[in-house]
Short mmCIF file of all heavy atoms in Angstrom, two decimals:
data_model
loop_
_atom_site.label_atom_id
_atom_site.label_comp_id
_atom_site.label_asym_id
_atom_site.label_seq_id
_atom_site.Cartn_x
_atom_site.Cartn_y
_atom_site.Cartn_z
N PHE A 36 -168.42 69.24 106.09
CA PHE A 36 -169.26 69.59 104.89
C PHE A 36 -168.32 69.92 103.75
O PHE A 36 -168.59 69.53 102.61
CB PHE A 36 -170.05 70.86 105.27
CG PHE A 36 -170.74 71.47 104.12
CD1 PHE A 36 -171.89 70.90 103.53
CD2 PHE A 36 -170.26 72.66 103.56
CE1 PHE A 36 -172.52 71.58 102.44
CE2 PHE A 36 -170.84 73.24 102.46
CZ PHE A 36 -171.96 72.68 101.92
N ALA A 37 -167.21 70.65 104.03
CA ALA A 37 -166.38 71.12 102.95
C ALA A 37 -165.80 69.95 102.09
O ALA A 37 -165.30 70.15 100.97
CB ALA A 37 -165.29 71.98 103.55
N PHE A 38 -165.73 68.76 102.61
CA PHE A 38 -165.07 67.65 101.93
C PHE A 38 -165.99 66.91 100.99
O PHE A 38 -165.50 66.14 100.16
CB PHE A 38 -164.50 66.68 102.93
CG PHE A 38 -163.43 67.18 103.88
CD1 PHE A 38 -163.67 67.76 105.10
CD2 PHE A 38 -162.10 67.15 103.38
CE1 PHE A 38 -162.67 68.30 105.83
CE2 PHE A 38 -161.12 67.71 104.14
CZ PHE A 38 -161.37 68.24 105.43
N TYR A 39 -167.24 67.21 101.00
CA TYR A 39 -168.19 66.44 100.25
C TYR A 39 -168.67 67.09 98.94
O TYR A 39 -168.87 68.33 98.94
CB TYR A 39 -169.44 66.10 101.14
CG TYR A 39 -169.08 65.34 102.40
CD1 TYR A 39 -169.46 65.77 103.70
CD2 TYR A 39 -168.39 64.16 102.33
CE1 TYR A 39 -169.19 65.11 104.78
CE2 TYR A 39 -168.04 63.47 103.46
CZ TYR A 39 -168.48 63.92 104.68
OH TYR A 39 -168.16 63.23 105.85
N THR A 40 -168.93 66.28 97.94
CA THR A 40 -169.69 66.72 96.82
C THR A 40 -171.15 66.74 97.18
O THR A 40 -171.73 65.82 97.67
CB THR A 40 -169.46 65.79 95.63
OG1 THR A 40 -168.06 65.78 95.25
CG2 THR A 40 -170.31 66.20 94.36
N MET A 41 -171.73 67.95 96.86
CA MET A 41 -173.14 68.21 97.26
C MET A 41 -173.98 68.37 95.95
O MET A 41 -173.42 68.84 94.94
CB MET A 41 -173.26 69.47 98.06
CG MET A 41 -172.63 69.40 99.44
SD MET A 41 -173.40 68.14 100.50
CE MET A 41 -175.00 68.72 100.66
N GLY A 42 -175.18 68.01 96.06
CA GLY A 42 -176.09 68.08 94.89
C GLY A 42 -177.43 68.71 95.23
O GLY A 42 -177.86 68.59 96.37
N TRP A 43 -178.07 69.22 94.20
CA TRP A 43 -179.49 69.58 94.28
C TRP A 43 -180.28 68.67 93.32
O TRP A 43 -179.85 68.33 92.23
CB TRP A 43 -179.72 71.04 93.80
CG TRP A 43 -179.43 72.04 94.86
CD1 TRP A 43 -178.29 72.84 95.00
CD2 TRP A 43 -180.29 72.49 95.90
NE1 TRP A 43 -178.40 73.67 96.03
CE2 TRP A 43 -179.63 73.47 96.63
CE3 TRP A 43 -181.60 72.11 96.30
CZ2 TRP A 43 -180.17 74.12 97.81
CZ3 TRP A 43 -182.11 72.73 97.39
CH2 TRP A 43 -181.48 73.78 98.09
N PHE A 44 -181.36 68.20 93.92
CA PHE A 44 -182.21 67.24 93.24
C PHE A 44 -183.64 67.85 93.11
O PHE A 44 -183.99 68.67 93.89
CB PHE A 44 -182.34 65.90 93.97
CG PHE A 44 -180.99 65.27 94.21
CD1 PHE A 44 -180.08 65.73 95.18
CD2 PHE A 44 -180.63 64.13 93.45
CE1 PHE A 44 -178.91 65.12 95.38
CE2 PHE A 44 -179.37 63.57 93.69
CZ PHE A 44 -178.56 64.00 94.65
N HIS A 45 -184.43 67.36 92.19
CA HIS A 45 -185.86 67.75 92.20
C HIS A 45 -186.68 66.50 91.95
O HIS A 45 -186.23 65.50 91.36
CB HIS A 45 -186.20 68.94 91.19
CG HIS A 45 -186.05 68.59 89.77
ND1 HIS A 45 -186.07 69.59 88.80
CD2 HIS A 45 -185.96 67.44 89.04
CE1 HIS A 45 -186.00 69.05 87.57
NE2 HIS A 45 -185.92 67.71 87.80
N GLN A 46 -187.95 66.65 92.46
CA GLN A 46 -188.89 65.53 92.27
C GLN A 46 -190.23 66.08 91.95
O GLN A 46 -190.83 66.77 92.79
CB GLN A 46 -188.95 64.64 93.50
CG GLN A 46 -189.83 63.38 93.33
CD GLN A 46 -189.71 62.43 94.47
OE1 GLN A 46 -189.25 62.69 95.57
NE2 GLN A 46 -190.06 61.19 94.18
N ALA A 47 -190.70 65.89 90.71
CA ALA A 47 -192.05 66.31 90.31
C ALA A 47 -193.04 65.30 90.70
O ALA A 47 -192.71 64.10 90.87
CB ALA A 47 -192.01 66.62 88.85
N PRO A 48 -194.30 65.63 90.82
CA PRO A 48 -195.33 64.71 91.20
C PRO A 48 -195.37 63.52 90.27
O PRO A 48 -195.39 63.66 89.02
CB PRO A 48 -196.61 65.50 91.08
CG PRO A 48 -196.20 66.90 91.36
CD PRO A 48 -194.82 67.04 90.71
N GLY A 49 -195.35 62.29 90.85
CA GLY A 49 -195.38 61.11 90.07
C GLY A 49 -194.12 60.71 89.34
O GLY A 49 -194.11 59.73 88.54
N LYS A 50 -193.10 61.41 89.65
CA LYS A 50 -191.79 61.08 88.97
C LYS A 50 -190.79 60.81 90.01
O LYS A 50 -190.85 61.11 91.21
CB LYS A 50 -191.29 62.36 88.10
CG LYS A 50 -192.36 62.52 86.91
CD LYS A 50 -191.75 63.61 86.01
CE LYS A 50 -192.61 63.85 84.78
NZ LYS A 50 -192.04 64.76 83.78
N GLN A 51 -189.63 60.23 89.51
CA GLN A 51 -188.51 59.92 90.42
C GLN A 51 -187.71 61.23 90.70
O GLN A 51 -187.66 62.16 89.93
CB GLN A 51 -187.64 58.87 89.75
CG GLN A 51 -188.25 57.48 89.72
CD GLN A 51 -187.23 56.43 89.35
OE1 GLN A 51 -186.23 56.74 88.55
NE2 GLN A 51 -187.46 55.15 89.72
N ARG A 52 -186.98 61.15 91.83
CA ARG A 52 -186.13 62.26 92.08
C ARG A 52 -184.89 62.22 91.19
O ARG A 52 -184.34 61.18 90.88
CB ARG A 52 -185.61 62.08 93.54
CG ARG A 52 -184.82 63.22 94.15
CD ARG A 52 -184.51 62.95 95.60
NE ARG A 52 -185.72 63.05 96.45
CZ ARG A 52 -185.94 62.29 97.55
NH1 ARG A 52 -185.03 61.51 97.93
NH2 ARG A 52 -187.05 62.45 98.30
N GLU A 53 -184.57 63.37 90.67
CA GLU A 53 -183.49 63.52 89.70
C GLU A 53 -182.44 64.57 90.15
O GLU A 53 -182.80 65.55 90.71
CB GLU A 53 -184.03 63.99 88.27
CG GLU A 53 -185.06 63.01 87.69
CD GLU A 53 -185.56 63.59 86.38
OE1 GLU A 53 -185.64 64.84 86.22
OE2 GLU A 53 -185.88 62.78 85.54
N LEU A 54 -181.19 64.25 89.77
CA LEU A 54 -180.13 65.20 90.04
C LEU A 54 -180.19 66.44 89.14
O LEU A 54 -180.36 66.25 87.92
CB LEU A 54 -178.73 64.54 89.88
CG LEU A 54 -177.49 65.42 90.10
CD1 LEU A 54 -177.42 65.86 91.55
CD2 LEU A 54 -176.24 64.65 89.68
N VAL A 55 -180.15 67.60 89.65
CA VAL A 55 -180.22 68.84 88.84
C VAL A 55 -178.80 69.36 88.71
O VAL A 55 -178.51 69.86 87.59
CB VAL A 55 -181.18 69.83 89.54
CG1 VAL A 55 -181.11 71.20 88.85
CG2 VAL A 55 -182.61 69.37 89.52
N ALA A 56 -178.04 69.47 89.78
CA ALA A 56 -176.74 70.08 89.74
C ALA A 56 -175.92 69.54 90.89
O ALA A 56 -176.43 69.08 91.94
CB ALA A 56 -176.84 71.60 89.88
N GLN A 57 -174.60 69.56 90.71
CA GLN A 57 -173.70 69.12 91.82
C GLN A 57 -172.53 69.97 91.83
O GLN A 57 -172.14 70.58 90.80
CB GLN A 57 -173.39 67.68 91.71
CG GLN A 57 -172.47 67.31 90.62
CD GLN A 57 -172.15 65.75 90.60
OE1 GLN A 57 -173.06 64.97 90.78
NE2 GLN A 57 -170.80 65.41 90.50
N ILE A 58 -171.87 70.02 92.96
CA ILE A 58 -170.63 70.83 93.16
C ILE A 58 -169.72 70.05 94.08
O ILE A 58 -170.07 69.53 95.09
CB ILE A 58 -170.94 72.22 93.74
CG1 ILE A 58 -169.71 73.06 93.84
CG2 ILE A 58 -171.67 72.12 95.08
CD1 ILE A 58 -169.99 74.55 94.03
N THR A 59 -168.41 69.87 93.60
CA THR A 59 -167.50 69.11 94.35
C THR A 59 -166.87 70.02 95.45
O THR A 59 -167.15 71.18 95.57
CB THR A 59 -166.35 68.65 93.43
OG1 THR A 59 -165.51 69.80 93.00
CG2 THR A 59 -166.90 67.87 92.24
N SER A 60 -166.00 69.37 96.24
CA SER A 60 -165.31 70.04 97.33
C SER A 60 -164.42 71.20 96.76
O SER A 60 -164.15 72.15 97.45
CB SER A 60 -164.50 69.11 98.15
OG SER A 60 -163.57 68.39 97.36
N SER A 61 -163.98 71.09 95.57
CA SER A 61 -163.13 72.12 94.94
C SER A 61 -163.95 73.01 93.99
O SER A 61 -163.40 73.66 93.12
CB SER A 61 -161.94 71.42 94.17
OG SER A 61 -162.45 70.47 93.23
N SER A 62 -165.32 72.94 94.11
CA SER A 62 -166.20 73.75 93.38
C SER A 62 -166.31 73.48 91.88
O SER A 62 -166.62 74.42 91.11
CB SER A 62 -165.94 75.23 93.72
OG SER A 62 -166.30 75.57 95.04
N VAL A 63 -165.95 72.29 91.47
CA VAL A 63 -166.24 71.91 90.13
C VAL A 63 -167.70 71.58 90.00
O VAL A 63 -168.23 70.85 90.87
CB VAL A 63 -165.41 70.64 89.69
CG1 VAL A 63 -165.78 70.21 88.29
CG2 VAL A 63 -163.93 71.02 89.73
N THR A 64 -168.35 72.08 88.96
CA THR A 64 -169.86 71.94 88.95
C THR A 64 -170.26 71.09 87.73
O THR A 64 -169.55 70.87 86.76
CB THR A 64 -170.55 73.26 88.80
OG1 THR A 64 -170.00 73.96 87.63
CG2 THR A 64 -170.23 74.12 90.06
N PHE A 65 -171.47 70.53 87.86
CA PHE A 65 -172.09 69.70 86.81
C PHE A 65 -173.54 70.04 86.84
O PHE A 65 -174.14 70.26 87.91
CB PHE A 65 -171.91 68.19 87.16
CG PHE A 65 -172.88 67.32 86.33
CD1 PHE A 65 -172.62 67.00 85.05
CD2 PHE A 65 -174.11 66.96 86.82
CE1 PHE A 65 -173.49 66.27 84.25
CE2 PHE A 65 -174.97 66.15 86.15
CZ PHE A 65 -174.70 65.87 84.82
N TYR A 66 -174.18 70.09 85.63
CA TYR A 66 -175.57 70.47 85.50
C TYR A 66 -176.30 69.49 84.64
O TYR A 66 -175.69 69.04 83.55
CB TYR A 66 -175.75 71.91 84.94
CG TYR A 66 -175.18 72.95 85.85
CD1 TYR A 66 -173.91 73.38 85.69
CD2 TYR A 66 -175.93 73.44 86.92
CE1 TYR A 66 -173.33 74.39 86.46
CE2 TYR A 66 -175.38 74.45 87.76
CZ TYR A 66 -174.11 74.87 87.60
OH TYR A 66 -173.54 75.85 88.38
N ALA A 67 -177.52 69.16 84.91
CA ALA A 67 -178.31 68.44 84.03
C ALA A 67 -178.64 69.27 82.78
O ALA A 67 -178.70 70.46 82.87
CB ALA A 67 -179.61 68.05 84.73
N ASP A 68 -178.78 68.64 81.69
CA ASP A 68 -179.04 69.39 80.41
C ASP A 68 -180.28 70.33 80.55
O ASP A 68 -180.24 71.38 79.88
CB ASP A 68 -179.20 68.41 79.24
CG ASP A 68 -177.88 67.78 78.82
OD1 ASP A 68 -176.77 68.29 79.15
OD2 ASP A 68 -178.01 66.74 78.14
N SER A 69 -181.17 69.87 81.19
CA SER A 69 -182.47 70.62 81.39
C SER A 69 -182.29 72.00 82.01
O SER A 69 -183.14 72.82 81.90
CB SER A 69 -183.57 69.86 81.98
OG SER A 69 -183.09 69.45 83.34
N VAL A 70 -181.24 72.17 82.76
CA VAL A 70 -181.05 73.39 83.57
C VAL A 70 -179.79 74.15 83.21
O VAL A 70 -179.61 75.26 83.71
CB VAL A 70 -181.09 73.16 85.01
CG1 VAL A 70 -182.34 72.41 85.41
CG2 VAL A 70 -179.83 72.43 85.52
N LYS A 71 -179.02 73.57 82.36
CA LYS A 71 -177.69 74.17 81.93
C LYS A 71 -177.91 75.55 81.39
O LYS A 71 -178.77 75.79 80.51
CB LYS A 71 -177.01 73.26 80.95
CG LYS A 71 -175.46 73.37 80.90
CD LYS A 71 -174.90 72.39 80.02
CE LYS A 71 -175.00 70.94 80.67
NZ LYS A 71 -174.30 69.91 79.83
N GLY A 72 -177.16 76.55 81.87
CA GLY A 72 -177.24 77.87 81.42
C GLY A 72 -178.33 78.66 82.17
O GLY A 72 -178.39 79.87 82.01
N ARG A 73 -179.17 78.05 82.97
CA ARG A 73 -180.18 78.73 83.72
C ARG A 73 -179.95 78.64 85.21
O ARG A 73 -180.32 79.60 85.94
CB ARG A 73 -181.58 78.11 83.34
CG ARG A 73 -181.96 78.22 81.94
CD ARG A 73 -183.42 77.79 81.68
NE ARG A 73 -183.64 76.44 82.04
CZ ARG A 73 -184.50 76.05 82.96
NH1 ARG A 73 -185.30 76.88 83.63
NH2 ARG A 73 -184.67 74.73 83.25
#
């Protein structure tokens, strides 16, 4: 597990699954604009 970049996704009704946030094996993070700061 520790070697992989992991992500959280969300899927609203009738919409495609979207990436919300991800974290690399070295804990570098990325956030979708819609959730950045929250």
Side-chain angles (χ1 to χ4, degrees):
F36 168 82
F38 294 94
Y39 300 126
T40 296
M41 295 295 298
W43 279 98
F44 303 76
H45 69 192
Q46 186 169 21
K50 295 188 177 181
Q51 289 190 333
R52 190 175 289 151
E53 297 178 332
L54 178 67
V55 171
Q57 70 179 49
I58 184 166
T59 69
S60 58
S61 54
S62 293
V63 175
T64 57
F65 163 84
Y66 297 94
D68 287 344
S69 59
V70 306
K71 204 171 292 184
R73 301 188 297 120

